[in-house]
Amino acid sequence: MSGSLTLERLVLVIIWVISILAIILFIPKHKRREAIMSFFACQSIIWVNSMLHVKYGLLSFPVREFPKATEVLFTTEYMMYPLMGAFYYIYEPKSGKLLRLFYLAGCISCLTVIDTIISTYTNLIKYTKYSWFWTWIDFFLIFLLANVYCKWFFKHGAFYQDRRTAR
């Protein structure tokens, strides 16, 4: 990446600013543990998934923050997608399977639109043997898997302690 401000760099800065503001403004204190766990669960799945996509030539990231370290775009794979997974998890409706399914589909659809816009108008993401359809399915499975893991992790409430009794 050159020293000048390009559209790609501007998009990366905007993603980081919006992500940091979203963390500060929209993650309630009582949901931070769940958000962090969901963030890390999504991040680990997304990172491996993206590396496999690159390895098998399904997509590429022509402009990257750390081109000598990884062939994956750090900002989207490390911050944006996992953060969306965290928001999905902490704001998921607690009842109604159909409502939860529509909520998941809505979140995934919004994220797929953002991803498609980035791939269409910038050099950050290039679909080689890929399309928005596969992105949608990918995000659906990743968020679903991370959600199942987090629900299992927090299942018995053993990881929550009342602050008054935890001394």
Side-chain angles (χ1 to χ4, degrees):
M1 292 172 75
S2 65
S4 65
L5 182 65
T6 63
L7 174 62
E8 286 77 15
R9 284 181 182 246
L10 181 62
V11 168
L12 294 175
V13 168
I14 289 170
I15 290 171
W16 278 98
V17 168
I18 290 173
S19 296
I20 292 167
L21 287 173
I23 290 168
I24 293 167
L25 298 174
F26 300 114
I27 297 181
K29 284 185 179 184
H30 70 281
K31 294 277 191 176
R32 283 188 186 154
R33 289 180 186 159
E34 292 176 63
I36 290 168
M37 179 52 91
S38 179
F39 180 87
F40 287 145
C42 277
Q43 190 179 68
S44 62
I45 299 166
I46 288 169
W47 194 259
V48 170
N49 184 51
S50 297
M51 287 192 306
L52 290 172
H53 282 90
V54 170
K55 179 180 179 174
Y56 292 108
L58 301 175
L59 51 85
S60 64
F61 302 95
V63 176
R64 302 182 303 278
E65 301 91 332
F66 307 110
K68 292 182 180 178
T70 182
E71 293 185 22
V72 175
L73 184 62
F74 185 79
T75 297
T76 55
E77 315 307 295
Y78 183 79
M79 176 57 90
M80 187 173 88
Y81 303 149
L83 183 60
M84 293 302 294
F87 280 118
Y88 159 71
Y89 182 75
I90 65 171
Y91 288 111
E92 179 189 32
K94 300 301 176 205
S95 62
K97 288 183 181 183
L98 190 58
L99 178 62
R100 290 173 40 214
L101 182 64
F102 279 122
Y103 175 74
L104 174 59
C107 289
I108 298 306
S109 297
C110 289
L111 195 54
T112 301
V113 166
I114 292 168
D115 189 74
T116 303
I117 289 169
I118 290 171
S119 72
T120 303
Y121 296 105
T122 71
N123 259 344
L124 293 173
I125 304 168
K126 288 296 170 200
Y127 293 158
T128 308
K129 300 172 188 168
Y130 213 66
S131 72
W132 68 267
F133 176 76
W134 295 113
T135 299
W136 195 94
I137 291 172
D138 238 1
F139 284 138
F140 187 89
L141 294 174
I142 290 166
F143 281 31
L144 193 62
L145 185 59
N147 189 323
V148 167
Y149 173 75
C150 289
K151 285 191 185 321
W152 168 81
F153 186 84
F154 291 112
K155 186 177 180 178
H156 299 293
F159 299 98
Y160 287 108
Q161 289 183 342
D162 189 351
R163 290 178 190 241
R164 291 169 280 161
T165 60
R167 295 195 189 243

